[in-house]
Amino acid sequence: MDKSQKINPVPFFSLGSSSTFLHNLHMIPTMDMAKLFASHGGVKTTIITTPLNAPIFAKAIQTTKNMSNHIAISVIKFPAEEAGLPDGCENVDQIHSEDMVPNFFKATTMLQGPLEHAIEEGHPDCLVADMFFPWATDIAAKFNIPRLVFHGTSVFALCAGENMRLYKPQKNVSSDYEPFIVPNLPHEVKITKMQLADHDKEDIETDFSKLLDKAIETEMTSFGVVVNSFHELEPAYADHYRRVLGRKAWHIGPVSLCNREVEDKAQRGKETSIDKLACLKWLDSKKPNSVIYVCFGSGAGFATSQLYEIAMGLEASGQEFIWVVRRAKNEDDNENWSPEGFEERTKDKGLIIRGWAPQVLILDHDAVGGFVTHCGWNSTLEGVSAGVPMVTWPFFADQFFNEKLVTEILKIGVCVGSDQQWKRGAIDGVKSEAIENAVKEIMVGEEAEERRRRARTLKEMASKAVEEGGSSHTDLNALIKELSAYQVQEYMET
Ligand code: UDP
């Protein structure tokens, strides 16, 4: 029997979005990772999730060919009420105010008992858990199984974040806007205090900073880290993370590339607000590289005034566009967010999607020649995998580091000029001229072509990485082998 087949269910412990501040919709890469494990040597996986998130996973499993025999779902109750949250509040989409955040984290820590029970029942050989569940390492140890950590960001951001934590260079600047170098990185990367998350900016202990410290501590004692990236994208940082920062890591991405069929690409995350075929038909009618795709991830909502500026900027750029419009929840319902006559004037040039877009399907289409993104890691890597240059507009957390990677290191992006972390609430503040200029710069001209060439090279590298013999494919095989060896060793010792 192939060694890898000895690995029993590998549970991916996912709550959907576990972090309020990072706004990572970890459900999407979790689903992709489960598919990847399942397709490598038929490793059985179980996704442990909560009632409201379970149907999203179930649907993705059902619609992906040959997956239903390999991926199971185990549902545990999310203790919303016990933690002082409204009933049915199970992920960050449902958090509408800052004061719900501590309750949300309280609820996640109350999952320890149910998780133990799920492990007792499922007898897995390994536990993959999000970084925001640091206690999962102890639970895995109790059952003598390895725990893998999943961060959901770039290895560049992991290295930059860790060096910020170790050296605290922000303490030596006199103003919030004074750029300083992130120490000890392979490249010279500058950032300002305004672009740092609160817990990095001020050296004060909060519940959240304690959780992060605990996460880093347990990262060192866990079996290792699985990274949704590929070695060729950030080679110096993959090396830095392993050699200098001493982390054991496997680069197994881009995990989104496991979705090869139209149906799989269109099914990621929520129900799409546009028919996939209608969307493809619209794109088919456009020339290659002529459309800019504008989408800011799963969480961010805009102020009405900012939507107005984006509309003005897009129209003035003269480019064709797909724009995924999402207004902040607390903005009034006034439909009048666009300049007068905007939708009529741009009806042949623009496709507006109100709600959820089939993002990977869109990015992979030849007509798409640019992507305006908030630099969430999933979107960034999906842009890289599609060979699309990007306009970067980061809002929170690791997104500012991902922007540096895209614009300064990979040189496939243009900044829109976002210079500060956005607090909770409607996003606002970037003027239409900045949007117009950045969109033109990414879509037309000599430099745009050079950026596009570099982006295409990265796309080829990404696709090779996940093919048989490619770096990510090999890393995942090596991980599965190590997990098998761990299991055999445990067996011998008992
Ligand atoms: N996404 C999508 N359609 C949308 C918005 C987002 O499919 O309309 C997907 C996108 O492909 C990505 C994820 O949602 O996989 C967003 O993750 P990311 O890390 O980029 O940002 P976050 O939502 O965590 O801020």
Side-chain angles (χ1 to χ4, degrees), residues 467-478:
E467 276 167 21
E468 184 128 19
S471 60
S472 294
H473 194 274
T474 308
D475 239 17
L476 181 54
N477 279 344

Side-chain angles (χ1 to χ4, degrees), residues 17 22-26 28-29 32 152 256 265-270 272-273 293 295-300 324 326 353 355-360 363 371 373-382 395-396 398-399 402:
S17 189
L22 290 179
H23 278 258
N24 283 337
L25 194 82
H26 288 170
I28 294 178
D32 289 342
S256 68
K265 290 180 189 178
Q267 287 291 353
R268 299 174 79 244
K270 302 179 192 174
T272 56
S273 316
Y293 170 64
C295 182
F296 303 94
S298 60
V324 186
R326 202 164 303 127
I353 300 176
W356 192 257
Q359 175 157 308
V360 168
L363 283 172
F371 179 16
T373 173
H374 69 311
C375 302
W377 182 240
N378 294 303
S379 295
T380 306
L381 197 55
E382 287 159 15
F395 309 135
F396 319 104
D398 62 327
Q399 296 160 10
N402 294 336

Side-chain angles (χ1 to χ4, degrees), residues 84-239:
L85 291 167
D87 193 22
C89 177
E90 287 183 20
N91 61 37
V92 289
D93 281 4
Q94 289 131 356
I95 294 184
H96 304 314
S97 71
E98 199 67 45
D99 35 318
M100 286 165 80
V101 175
N103 302 51
F104 187 79
F105 280 111
K106 185 174 170 202
T108 63
T109 58
M110 290 164 83
L111 290 168
Q112 295 179 52
L115 176 67
E116 278 195 33
H117 187 64
I119 291 183
E120 237 156 19
E121 285 203 328
H123 299 293
D125 296 315
C126 167
L127 174 67
V128 184
D130 197 279
M131 66 169 281
F132 282 104
F133 309 123
W135 37 264
T137 302
D138 289 340
I139 293 181
K142 196 169 159 186
F143 291 93
N144 276 334
I145 55 171
R147 184 257 166 122
L148 289 164
V149 181
F150 179 63
H151 287 279
T153 190
S154 59
V155 74
F156 174 84
L158 289 174
C159 293
E162 182 60 354
N163 283 322
M164 291 289 304
R165 200 181 71 90
L166 291 173
Y167 301 103
K168 303 200 185 312
Q170 67 276 33
K171 278 187 163 174
N172 304 326
V173 289
S174 50
S175 113
D176 281 357
Y177 286 96
E178 183 187 330
F180 59 87
I181 295 174
V182 182
N184 211 24
L185 290 182
H187 296 88
E188 185 179 297
V189 176
K190 286 187 180 163
I191 198 142
T192 67
K193 268 174 95 169
M194 289 307 283
Q195 294 171 318
L196 297 177
D198 279 350
H199 56 267
D200 282 329
K201 202 168 158 190
E202 308 302 341
D203 201 12
I204 38 173
E205 204 172 66
T206 61
D207 285 348
F208 189 65
S209 72
K210 278 193 245 168
L211 178 70
L212 286 179
D213 287 345
K214 190 89 188 117
I216 289 155
E217 208 180 285
T218 50
E219 186 179 304
M220 299 301 275
T221 54
S222 72
F223 192 70
V225 179
V226 272
V227 186
N228 181 16
S229 185
F230 57 105
H231 189 272
E232 295 79 358
L233 184 67
E234 337 170 64
Y237 294 89
D239 196 44

